[in-house]
């Protein structure tokens, strides 16, 4: 999202045209160039008279995309981004780059369809990553870490904000595959912490012991927070997180401070 905003601002201050629509269209074209494809894409730069541009202020930027493909295997059904007023550093602009005098604040709404996520999971790109995984089953030794693999992943969103993933656990030594099921509920705590609720793992119709699951959840929970980005001067909070049978629907607020590496330009 910060890349989208930077592209739009770069375009705007390259053109500084009295006709804002021209800047909108050029920014849209530059974003399209960075995507595999997009069914619908629109950029709007609101209330930007030239005297404000010279002073380094943009009142609001809005971006709306439908059917966006950042890569061929992944379709994002909906991506809407809207910023608060943006104050740019005019000295940085004179050097041909985009810099900021105040934090950039934006809200984003994202919808990912279940069928599109499953298309990604079935793709060669994901399978190649899965083939690189090394993991042990309970009771196996470290030397067997490359024995097992995953294939035929399928994702299903269920009621109660629960996710169910089915897969084949492949034994590369015996050349056999057994079914595996992972199911877990999710909740967002204080807008930043993802909590795993009642996780269940079943391998070959045998549930993984609860003690192992509890240990896994305890170990991974500290990593499942948006606060981990705060050392990079990014504050993010989830406003909406909803799973339905058809889609994942997320809304998020992001504040990026001017000295954040996420706003740095090459």
């Amino acid at each position: 999202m910060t890349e989208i905003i930077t592209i739009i601002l770069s375009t705007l201050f390259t053109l500084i045209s009295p006709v804002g629509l021209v800047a909108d269209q050029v920014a849209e074209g530059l974003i399209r160039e960075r995507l595999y494809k997009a069914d619908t894409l629109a950029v709007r730069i609101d209330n930007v008279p030239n005297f404000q541009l010279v002073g380094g202020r943009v009142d609001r930027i809005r971006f709306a995309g439908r059917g966006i493909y950042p890569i061929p295997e992944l379709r994002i059904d909906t991506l809407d981004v809207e910023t608060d007023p943006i104050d740019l550093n005019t000295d940085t602009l004179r050097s041909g780059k985009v810099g900021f005098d105040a934090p950039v604040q934006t809200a984003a709404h994202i919808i990912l369809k279940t069928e599109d996520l499953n298309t990604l999971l079935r793709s060669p790109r994901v399978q190649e990553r899965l083939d690189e995984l090394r993991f042990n089953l309970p009771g196996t030794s470290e030397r067997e870490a490359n024995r097992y693999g995953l294939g035929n992943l399928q994702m299903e969103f269920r009621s109660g904000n629960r996710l169910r993933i089915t897969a084949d656990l492949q034994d590369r030594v015996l050349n056999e595959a057994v079914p595996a099921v992972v199911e877990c509920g999710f909740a967002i705590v204080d807008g930043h912490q993802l909590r795993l609720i009642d996780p269940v793992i079943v391998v070959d119709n045998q549930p993984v012991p609860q003690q192992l699951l509890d240990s896994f959840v305890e170990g991974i929970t500290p990593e499942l927070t948006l606060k981990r980005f705060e050392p990079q001067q990014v504050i993010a909070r989830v406003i909406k997180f909803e799973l339905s049978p058809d889609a994942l629907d997320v809304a998020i607020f992001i504040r990026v401070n001017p000295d954040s590496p996420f706003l740095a330009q090459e």
Side-chain angles (χ1 to χ4, degrees), residues 117-124 126-128 130-131 149-156 164-170 176-182:
L117 291 172
N118 280 321
T119 297
L120 174 66
L121 291 178
R122 292 191 296 265
S123 69
V126 170
Q127 190 59 54
E128 288 175 5
L130 293 175
D131 291 341
L150 290 173
N152 298 323
L153 267 69
Q154 182 79 13
M155 178 182 296
E156 176 187 353
R164 179 184 177 93
I165 298 177
T166 59
D168 290 337
L169 183 62
Q170 300 162 340
E176 295 177 347
V178 297
V181 179
V182 178

Side-chain angles (χ1 to χ4, degrees), residues 49-159:
N50 277 349
F51 70 84
Q52 286 193 196
L53 289 177
V54 173
R57 181 180 173 88
V58 178
D59 284 345
R60 180 172 62 174
I61 294 172
R62 290 185 288 177
F63 168 91
R66 302 292 183 269
I68 296 175
Y69 292 78
I71 57 175
E73 299 87 352
L74 175 61
R75 178 182 183 272
I76 300 174
D77 182 79
T78 299
L79 176 59
D80 294 322
V81 179
E82 182 173 327
T83 73
D84 285 350
I86 296 173
D87 290 313
L88 293 108
N89 185 297
T90 53
D91 291 335
T92 305
L93 287 173
R94 293 189 189 100
S95 68
K97 295 184 178 181
V98 176
F100 301 87
D101 284 331
V104 176
Q105 297 189 156
T106 182
H109 178 219
I110 304 168
I111 297 178
L112 294 168
K113 294 288 189 179
T114 310
E115 59 187 279
D116 295 327
L117 291 172
N118 280 321
T119 297
L120 174 66
L121 291 178
R122 292 191 296 265
S123 69
R125 179 190 293 263
V126 170
Q127 190 59 54
E128 288 175 5
R129 300 294 185 271
L130 293 175
D131 291 341
E132 296 171 359
L133 290 178
R134 293 169 56 85
F135 62 92
N136 292 342
L137 292 179
T140 61
S141 64
E142 178 65 26
R143 65 184 297 180
E144 293 182 287
N146 201 38
R147 175 174 177 173
Y148 299 98
L150 290 173
N152 298 323
L153 267 69
Q154 182 79 13
M155 178 182 296
E156 176 187 353
F157 295 143
R158 318 193 91 184
S159 60

Side-chain angles (χ1 to χ4, degrees), residues 28 41 48 54 101 111 128 205 208:
E28 177 185 325
L41 200 63
V48 192
V54 173
D101 284 331
I111 297 178
E128 288 175 5
N205 299 316
V208 170

Side-chain angles (χ1 to χ4, degrees), residues 37-53:
K37 69 174 182 177
D39 297 339
T40 303
L41 200 63
V43 176
R44 180 167 178 176
I45 304 165
D46 290 339
N47 304 320
V48 192
N50 277 349
F51 70 84
Q52 286 193 196
L53 289 177

Side-chain angles (χ1 to χ4, degrees), residues 219-243:
I220 197 174
T221 295
E223 301 298 320
L224 302 178
T225 174
L226 293 172
K227 284 193 171 184
R228 63 185 302 184
F229 295 107
E230 292 183 6
Q232 285 78 46
Q233 302 299 309
V234 176
I235 297 174
R237 295 295 182 266
V238 176
I239 303 168
K240 178 182 180 181
F241 182 90
E242 184 177 304
L243 297 178

